[in-house]
Amino acid sequence: MRIAQLAPLAESVPPRLYGGTERVIAWLVDELVELGHDVTLFASGDSRTKAKLYPVWPRALRLGRRGVDPNAACAMLVEAIAEHAAGFDLIHSHVDWLPLPVLSRADVPYLTTMHGRLDLPGLPDVIGAFPKAPFVSISDNQRRPLPEANWIATIQHGLPKGLFRPSYEPGSYLAFLGRLTVDKGPEDAMRIARAAGMPLRIAAKIPRAETAYFKKKLEPNIDGEKIELVGEVDEARKQPFLAGAAALLFPIDWPEPFGLVMIEAMACGTPVIAYRSGSVPEVVEDGVTGFIVENAAEAIEAVNDLRRLDRRAVRARFEERFVASRMAREYESRYRELIARVTPSRR
């Protein structure tokens, strides 16, 4: 199949540092190429891929030239796919609603994977404007706010089997990996680690909009010993960071659509202690790959119960459920179904 993949332009594919969506796109594209498909990735020019790269914008917006209007870059993305749509058997968008006016009018099968939260005002109106647009969710929970959308599948993320080496040692600290925002739960992570008597290492980016929150609520508690901020980590540093942890703390307070860091930890053999929110019950198997808890008090108990979990079993369940080859095959099946629906003349 000739497949176009449309990526966001905020980060490169894969991202140099933080960026879950772009990382998943990179894994999916490379796996599709390995399956023998002719794939073109529409992304920033600093992306790296096994597919053909169509550089929509010279550099990812977050790390590129300051002052660039992101709408200008997005306009170039829409123009690029409008110009080249006829050259593909299928177009797969990862940029939410932006290309729908073009894709819905092109004579090419398409689908959109939604990567973000969907409980926001105005989204039912968009769904109403594009009732036939096919969507893929990354968890069943993600799609709950928009049941009327044309959902054709839930396809959970997967990452390359050999990307992370597992460690079967107990681990000497608790890990927190993600954005330092209120809804990600860094304050609860600090409380849990402190009460459990274990060091906490935080690998995270500080969004510009959250600088005041970090300065007021988090920084006073970071002493460099019991609670240590190691900053953003790239792929190479993420593996030892997660593999050396006794557990990943995931005390979220928002409807997390998937939570890529949970399966990254599992790939390292590291169990996950997570609040029951969003996709967590679909990803974590309570008592097998981690513990699902309701609050900080239960999380502290879970830290004390980590010895009950077998890190080899955590890694084994990752290999059974969350590898990139499985994800690519599931998308491949959806692609074939959508292409089969077009008229014989189009095929």
Side-chain angles (χ1 to χ4, degrees):
M1 286 180 279
R2 297 169 300 167
I3 304 166
Q5 297 279 341
L6 312 185
L9 300 175
E11 305 283 352
S12 61
V13 178
R16 286 173 54 188
L17 295 171
Y18 186 85
T21 296
E22 295 81 9
R23 190 163 276 112
V24 171
I25 295 169
W27 297 329
L28 172 61
V29 167
D30 286 355
E31 288 289 341
L32 290 171
V33 171
E34 290 296 321
L35 289 171
H37 299 293
D38 182 358
V39 185
T40 300
L41 173 64
F42 291 75
S44 64
D46 51 347
S47 297
R48 305 177 309 282
T49 179
K50 293 180 181 179
K52 300 170 185 174
L53 177 62
Y54 186 102
V56 175
W57 201 254
R59 291 197 67 199
L61 296 175
R62 185 165 80 93
L63 299 178
R65 183 179 176 184
R66 280 195 168 190
V68 170
D69 183 354
N71 290 326
C74 292
M76 295 299 292
L77 174 62
V78 173
E79 171 60 20
I81 195 57
E83 180 181 356
H84 297 285
F88 298 101
D89 297 313
L90 181 130
I91 300 169
H92 185 172
S93 171
H94 301 270
V95 288
D96 297 339
W97 323 101
L98 181 67
L100 286 179
V102 168
L103 296 179
S104 63
R105 290 167 173 80
D107 189 24
V108 180
Y110 70 95
L111 63 87
T112 299
T113 295
M114 301 306 300
H115 290 271
R117 66 187 301 172
L118 302 178
D119 59 337
L120 303 176
L123 297 191
D125 296 328
V126 181
I127 291 297
F130 301 97
K132 296 182 180 180
F135 294 98
V136 169
S137 54
I138 55 178
S139 67
D140 290 338
N141 183 271
Q142 180 197 27
R143 62 167 72 176
R144 289 179 62 185
L146 296 175
E148 67 277 18
N150 179 25
W151 298 109
I152 63 171
T154 289
I155 299 179
Q156 295 180 323
H157 291 333
L159 58 89
K161 183 177 178 180
L163 183 64
F164 293 135
R165 299 184 310 278
S167 170
Y168 302 127
E169 298 300 317
S172 58
Y173 56 87
L174 299 172
F176 179 95
L177 176 60
R179 297 190 313 274
L180 290 179
T181 59
V182 174
D183 54 13
K184 290 287 188 177
E187 292 177 81
D188 273 22
M190 292 178 179
R191 283 191 285 267
I192 292 163
R194 196 176 289 114
M198 290 194 68
L200 175 68
R201 293 186 183 175
I202 301 171
K205 66 181 284 188
I206 305 171
R208 290 179 185 173
E210 302 294 335
T211 301
Y213 167 69
F214 172 77
K215 291 287 186 182
K216 183 177 181 180
K217 297 291 186 179
L218 304 181
E219 191 173 44
N221 296 299
I222 298 172
D223 59 12
E225 296 181 4
K226 293 181 179 178
I227 299 178
E228 179 184 0
L229 177 64
V230 300
E232 283 191 75
V233 292
D234 58 16
E235 212 72 64
R237 291 189 295 158
K238 186 183 295 183
Q239 190 276 330
F241 174 77
L242 289 173
L248 171 75
L249 296 183
F250 199 67
I252 58 170
D253 185 26
W254 75 296
E256 174 72 67
F258 184 81
L260 185 62
V261 65
M262 291 191 286
I263 67 171
E264 291 176 326
M266 293 176 196
C268 296
T270 301
V272 180
I273 298 175
Y275 285 3
R276 188 186 302 277
S277 186
S279 64
V280 165
E282 298 175 54
V283 178
V284 177
E285 296 172 82
D286 189 53
V288 179
T289 57
F291 296 111
I292 300 174
V293 299
E294 305 295 338
N295 49 46
E298 290 188 8
I300 295 163
E301 293 180 10
V303 172
N304 296 325
D305 285 342
L306 285 171
R307 68 180 75 87
R308 291 172 38 202
L309 302 180
D310 181 352
R311 292 178 69 108
R312 294 181 185 277
V314 175
R315 169 69 188 195
R317 290 301 287 154
F318 156 76
E319 293 183 9
E320 292 166 14
R321 300 185 59 201
F322 297 118
V323 292
S325 57
R326 183 274 309 159
M327 173 179 65
R329 288 193 299 271
E330 289 189 27
Y331 275 114
E332 183 184 48
S333 296
R334 301 291 88 73
Y335 298 163
R336 295 191 188 281
E337 291 171 3
L338 289 169
I339 292 172
R341 295 177 189 174
V342 303
T343 62
S345 61
R346 173 66 181 81
R347 291 203 301 270

Coordinates of all heavy atoms in Angstrom, one line a residue, residues 8 44-45 65 74 93 101-102 109 125 130 132 166 177 183 188 216-217 253 262 275 277 282 289 319 333 335 344-345:
P8 N 2.2 15.8 13.7 CA 2.2 17.2 14.2 C 3.6 17.8 13.9 O 4.6 17.1 13.7 CB 2.0 17.0 15.7 CG 1.4 15.6 15.8 CD 1.9 14.8 14.7
S44 N 8.2 17.5 10.2 CA 9.2 18.5 10.1 C 10.5 17.9 9.5 O 10.7 16.7 9.5 CB 9.6 19.0 11.6 OG 10.1 17.9 12.3
G45 N 11.3 18.8 8.9 CA 12.5 18.4 8.1 C 13.6 17.8 9.0 O 14.4 17.1 8.4
R65 N 13.1 27.9 15.3 CA 13.3 29.4 15.4 C 12.2 30.0 16.2 O 11.0 29.7 16.0 CB 13.3 30.0 13.9 CG 13.5 31.5 13.9 CD 13.5 31.9 12.4 NE 13.7 33.3 12.3 CZ 13.6 34.0 11.2 NH1 13.4 33.3 10.0 NH2 13.7 35.3 11.1
C74 N 1.2 24.8 10.0 CA 0.0 24.0 9.8 C -0.7 24.2 8.4 O -1.1 23.2 7.8 CB -1.0 24.2 10.9 SG -0.5 23.7 12.6
S93 N -3.9 10.3 9.4 CA -3.6 11.6 10.1 C -3.5 11.4 11.6 O -4.2 10.7 12.2 CB -4.7 12.6 9.8 OG -4.6 13.8 10.6
P101 N -11.3 19.0 6.7 CA -12.0 19.6 5.6 C -11.4 19.1 4.2 O -12.1 19.0 3.2 CB -11.8 21.1 5.8 CG -11.6 21.2 7.3 CD -10.9 20.0 7.7
V102 N -10.1 18.9 4.2 CA -9.4 18.5 3.0 C -9.6 17.0 2.8 O -10.0 16.5 1.7 CB -7.9 18.8 3.0 CG1 -7.2 18.1 1.9 CG2 -7.7 20.3 2.9
P109 N -9.2 7.1 0.7 CA -9.6 6.6 2.1 C -8.6 7.2 3.1 O -7.4 7.4 2.8 CB -9.4 5.1 2.0 CG -9.5 4.8 0.5 CD -8.9 5.9 -0.2
D125 N -19.4 19.5 18.2 CA -19.8 20.2 17.0 C -18.9 19.8 15.8 O -19.4 19.7 14.6 CB -19.6 21.7 17.2 CG -20.6 22.2 18.3 OD1 -21.7 21.7 18.4 OD2 -20.2 23.2 19.0
F130 N -18.4 16.3 10.6 CA -17.8 15.3 9.8 C -18.3 13.9 10.3 O -17.5 13.1 10.9 CB -16.2 15.4 10.0 CG -15.7 16.7 9.5 CD1 -15.4 17.7 10.4 CD2 -15.4 16.9 8.2 CE1 -14.9 18.9 10.0 CE2 -14.9 18.1 7.8 CZ -14.7 19.1 8.7
K132 N -19.0 11.1 8.9 CA -18.5 9.9 8.3 C -17.0 9.7 8.4 O -16.4 8.7 8.0 CB -18.8 9.9 6.8 CG -20.3 9.9 6.5 CD -20.6 9.8 5.0 CE -22.1 9.8 4.7 NZ -22.3 9.8 3.2
P166 N 15.3 -4.9 29.7 CA 14.7 -5.0 31.1 C 15.8 -5.2 32.1 O 16.8 -5.8 31.9 CB 13.8 -6.2 30.9 CG 14.4 -7.0 29.8 CD 15.1 -6.1 28.9
L177 N 8.0 10.3 35.5 CA 8.4 10.7 34.1 C 7.2 11.3 33.4 O 6.2 10.7 33.2 CB 8.9 9.5 33.3 CG 9.3 9.7 31.9 CD1 10.4 10.7 31.8 CD2 9.7 8.3 31.2
D183 N -2.1 18.1 36.7 CA -2.9 16.8 36.4 C -2.0 15.6 36.3 O -2.5 14.5 36.3 CB -3.8 17.0 35.2 CG -3.0 17.5 34.0 OD1 -1.8 17.4 34.0 OD2 -3.6 17.9 33.0
D188 N 1.7 14.6 44.4 CA 1.4 13.3 45.0 C 2.5 12.3 44.9 O 2.8 11.6 45.9 CB 0.1 12.7 44.3 CG -1.2 13.2 44.9 OD1 -1.1 14.3 45.5 OD2 -2.2 12.5 44.8
K216 N 6.6 27.4 42.8 CA 5.9 27.6 44.1 C 5.7 26.2 44.8 O 5.8 26.1 46.0 CB 4.6 28.3 43.8 CG 3.8 28.5 45.1 CD 2.5 29.3 44.8 CE 1.7 29.5 46.1 NZ 0.4 30.3 45.8
K217 N 5.3 25.2 44.0 CA 4.8 23.9 44.6 C 5.8 22.8 44.6 O 5.8 22.0 45.5 CB 3.5 23.5 43.9 CG 2.3 24.4 44.0 CD 1.8 24.4 45.4 CE 0.5 25.2 45.5 NZ -0.1 25.2 46.8
D253 N -4.4 12.9 37.5 CA -5.7 13.4 37.9 C -6.3 14.0 36.7 O -6.8 15.1 36.6 CB -5.6 14.5 39.0 CG -6.9 14.9 39.5 OD1 -7.9 14.2 39.4 OD2 -7.0 16.1 40.0
M262 N 3.8 4.3 30.8 CA 3.5 3.1 31.5 C 4.0 1.9 30.8 O 4.6 1.0 31.4 CB 1.9 2.9 31.7 CG 1.3 3.9 32.6 SD -0.4 3.6 33.1 CE -1.2 4.1 31.6
Y275 N -2.9 5.8 39.6 CA -4.3 6.1 40.0 C -5.3 5.6 39.0 O -5.0 5.6 37.8 CB -4.5 7.6 40.2 CG -3.8 8.2 41.4 CD1 -3.1 7.4 42.3 CD2 -4.0 9.6 41.7 CE1 -2.5 8.0 43.4 CE2 -3.4 10.1 42.9 CZ -2.7 9.3 43.7 OH -2.1 9.9 44.8
S277 N -7.6 6.2 36.7 CA -8.1 7.3 35.9 C -7.8 7.1 34.4 O -6.8 6.4 34.1 CB -7.5 8.6 36.3 OG -8.0 9.7 35.7
E282 N -7.0 -0.1 31.5 CA -6.8 -0.8 30.2 C -5.4 -1.2 30.0 O -5.1 -2.1 29.2 CB -7.3 0.0 29.0 CG -8.8 0.3 29.1 CD -9.3 1.2 28.0 OE1 -9.0 0.9 26.8 OE2 -9.9 2.3 28.3
T289 N 1.3 -6.3 36.4 CA 2.3 -5.3 35.9 C 2.3 -4.1 36.7 O 3.0 -3.1 36.4 CB 1.9 -4.9 34.4 OG1 0.6 -4.4 34.4 CG2 2.0 -6.1 33.5
E319 N 5.7 -7.7 26.2 CA 6.0 -8.4 24.9 C 4.7 -8.9 24.3 O 4.5 -8.9 23.1 CB 7.0 -9.4 25.1 CG 8.4 -8.9 25.4 CD 9.4 -10.0 25.5 OE1 9.2 -11.1 25.1 OE2 10.6 -9.7 25.9
S333 N -4.6 -3.8 9.1 CA -5.9 -4.4 8.9 C -7.0 -3.3 8.7 O -7.8 -3.4 7.8 CB -6.3 -5.2 10.1 OG -5.4 -6.3 10.2
Y335 N -6.4 -0.3 7.5 CA -6.2 0.3 6.2 C -6.8 -0.5 5.1 O -7.5 0.0 4.2 CB -4.7 0.4 5.9 CG -3.8 1.2 6.9 CD1 -2.5 1.1 6.9 CD2 -4.4 2.2 7.7 CE1 -1.7 1.8 7.7 CE2 -3.6 3.0 8.5 CZ -2.2 2.8 8.6 OH -1.4 3.5 9.4
P344 N -14.6 -0.2 -7.2 CA -13.6 -0.9 -8.0 C -12.8 0.1 -8.9 O -11.6 -0.1 -9.1 CB -14.4 -1.9 -8.8 CG -15.6 -2.1 -7.9 CD -15.9 -0.8 -7.3
S345 N -13.5 1.1 -9.4 CA -12.8 2.0 -10.3 C -11.7 2.8 -9.6 O -10.7 3.1 -10.1 CB -13.8 3.0 -11.0 OG -14.5 3.7 -9.9

